[in-house]
Amino acid sequence: MARFSYGGQALIEGVLMRGRDAIAVALRHPDGRIVWSDERLGTGFRGTRWAKMPLLRGLVVLYETLVIGTRWLVRSAGVAAAEELPAATTADGRPADAADLGKGSVAIMLGLTLVLGLGLFFFVPLLVARFLAGSQPGVVERIVEGVVQVAIFLGYLIVIGRTSDVHRTFQYHGAEHMTIHALEAGDPLTVDAVRGYPTAHPRCGTEFLVVVILVSIVAFSIVGRQDILTMIISRLILIPVIAAVSYELLRFGARHRGNPFVRVFFE
C-alpha cells in the first residue's frame, strides 16, 4: 500500500492531480500545446493535527476538492475555448500568469452546484418515496428512497455520458486513475508504465457517491419516519456526517481490497 493516497480530477481537456501539499494541472490547448500550472494547497486548519483525524480529514479533503476542483474546471473550460490561456508562457508551456476567478464567483457557482446536487440526490428521492410509499412502514419508505437515489444516479451517468464532450472527459478520468495507480505503485510516470494499469480506481469519486447512497440509507433509516420538515432538516444535518463516514469506508475499502469479503462489498 502506498504511503500516501493521491487524488485527482478530470478537467476539460486535462487533469488535476492532488498530492500531499500541492496540486498540479495539465491542460491541452486547442493549438495542441500542453499548458500546466501548480498550486499549493491551503494551510490554516489543514495544517493542524485535527485535520488528519478520522472523519474530520474526509471533510477537509471534500472541501478542498469542491472549491479547488470547481475553480480549475471552469478555468479548463476557458482554456479549451482559447479564452483563458495566459498571455505569456514559459518555454516548457507553463502559464506565466495564473490569473484566477474571484472567490465570489467560485462561491456562487459552488453554491448553485451544491443546491442542485443535494436537491436532486437527497430531497427529490425523499419526496418521491413519501408519495410512493404512502402509509407503508418507514423501512419501506427508506428502501424506496434508496432505489430512487440509485436510479437518479445511474440515469445521470447514462445521460451525460452520451455527449461527446463528457465522454472525452471520462477518458481523461480513466487516464487520471491509471496515473494514480502508477504513482502509488512507485512506477515511473511514463506512457508505457501507466498503460499497464486499469482505468478504475478504488477511491474513485463515483465509487464514493455509491458509498454515500448506501450510508445514507442506513442513516436515514435510523431517523425513521417523521413529518416532512423534520426529515428535510435531518438530511441537512446528517449530510456532512454521511460524507465523513463514507470517506473513511472508502479508504478502508481501498486499503483492504485484497480481502475477499471487502472486495465483495465494494465490487
Side-chain angles (χ1 to χ4, degrees), residues 109-164:
M109 292 185 60
L110 186 56
L112 291 175
T113 302
L114 287 175
V115 169
L116 179 61
L118 294 178
L120 184 62
F121 290 105
F122 285 98
F123 300 130
V124 169
L126 170 63
L127 297 176
V128 172
R130 174 58 62 95
F131 173 76
L132 293 179
S135 59
Q136 297 295 321
V139 64
V140 174
E141 186 175 302
R142 299 289 70 74
I143 293 174
V144 173
E145 183 178 358
V147 171
V148 173
Q149 283 181 311
V150 172
I152 291 176
F153 177 63
L154 294 178
Y156 169 77
L157 291 179
I158 292 172
V159 170
I160 66 172
R162 295 179 68 88
T163 64
S164 59

